[in-house]
Amino acid sequence: MAGTSDVTSPVSPGSPVTASGQIPNQRGESLLDTAVRYAEERHWDVFPGTWLEFDDGVQRCSCEDLQCARPGAHPARDDWATQATGSATVARRVWSKQPKASILLPTGRTFDAIDVPETAGFLALARMERMELTLGPVTCTPDRRMQFFVLPGATLKVPDLVRKLGWPPASLDLVALGEGAFVAAPPTRFGSQGAVQWACRPTAANRWLPDAEELISPLAYACGREGGRR
């Protein structure tokens, strides 16, 4: 079960690791080593994104767009899907060539992700813990979003699941990310906003992901509650 020991505060990414088989916190660990670990230990496809550069003390995205919305945290090429690899050997070679590249994970392959606002995400996490639901990894991004990793196929299921709960899908700030989409993995940075962190770290206990149907009720409830406050 995913319980209190698996859920981590995103403001404390350097806390000790105790769970066996767990991806460690990435403080001080290179992007290369982390990308290799994701491919080797979790069998996740990874691909390199843009990176941050400094020019006369000014931080900018390697894409050179001064108005970049996700500096250092988006695909560097249009054909990024063909770059994604589940091979640790290939990942090591790719990041050896560009060690500053962000780590991006394509969805729709080994996992989908349900993306919600951070406030709703933490409310849902507390509710899931009370319900003793099994959780997969959960990321928390600097732009105040959270992504809950679930089994592939969520993009097809989520709209109908939300309707069955009584919510028009368009009324909730809840999006399922599947084929053709991606998430940024820790410790990728979003410009000066900070780094992506684990709200619920990958562990041996959550190697098997939940189905979207198992998590959608608390997520939809939390999104509906937060949306009603605006």
Side-chain angles (χ1 to χ4, degrees):
M1 290 291 181
T4 306
S5 62
D6 296 325
V7 178
T8 61
S9 168
V11 297
S12 305
S15 56
V17 173
T18 57
S20 174
Q22 178 171 305
I23 298 280
N25 294 306
Q26 281 86 29
R27 177 174 291 181
E29 187 172 27
S30 71
L31 288 161
L32 183 156
D33 289 339
T34 306
V36 169
R37 283 180 179 272
Y38 289 149
E40 191 169 59
E41 298 181 13
R42 297 298 290 202
H43 305 294
W44 288 340
D45 283 3
V46 296
F47 70 97
T50 53
W51 57 91
L52 296 173
E53 296 182 338
F54 289 86
D55 186 10
D56 292 330
V58 178
Q59 183 175 260
R60 62 180 177 83
C61 183
S62 62
C63 73
E64 300 185 353
D65 179 359
L66 298 180
Q67 304 301 318
C68 181
R70 293 168 61 95
H74 65 86
R77 294 167 36 172
D78 292 338
D79 63 344
W80 59 264
T82 65
Q83 288 184 286
T85 178
S87 166
T89 300
V90 174
R92 183 175 298 280
R93 183 168 65 246
V94 168
W95 268 270
S96 293
K97 293 179 180 178
Q98 183 42 264
K100 295 190 295 182
S102 55
I103 303 173
L104 306 179
L105 311 175
T107 50
R109 300 188 182 188
T110 52
F111 65 88
D112 279 3
I114 301 178
D115 179 276
V116 299
E118 181 184 272
T119 49
F122 280 115
L123 178 63
L125 277 177
R127 191 174 179 86
M128 291 173 186
E129 184 175 348
R130 292 194 297 272
M131 296 169 69
E132 297 186 338
L133 295 180
T134 300
L135 291 175
V138 182
T139 60
C140 187
T141 65
D143 58 351
R144 305 184 68 83
R145 305 292 298 183
M146 292 177 72
Q147 287 101 30
F148 290 72
F149 289 23
V150 295
L151 289 172
T155 53
L156 296 176
K157 296 179 179 180
V158 163
D160 284 341
L161 291 172
V162 169
R163 288 189 191 95
K164 289 178 180 178
L165 292 170
W167 299 93
S171 70
L172 299 181
D173 187 1
L174 181 156
V175 180
L177 304 175
E179 186 175 358
F182 66 91
V183 297
T188 294
R189 297 190 66 82
F190 281 35
S192 60
Q193 296 181 62
V196 183
Q197 300 178 49
W198 290 115
C200 185
R201 293 192 300 267
T203 69
N206 64 21
R207 184 171 295 277
W208 301 104
L209 299 176
D211 189 274
E213 189 169 1
E214 300 172 58
L215 307 186
I216 197 64
S217 178
L219 285 171
Y221 168 81
C223 288
R225 177 172 169 179
E226 290 303 304
R229 290 178 175 177
R230 299 191 186 114

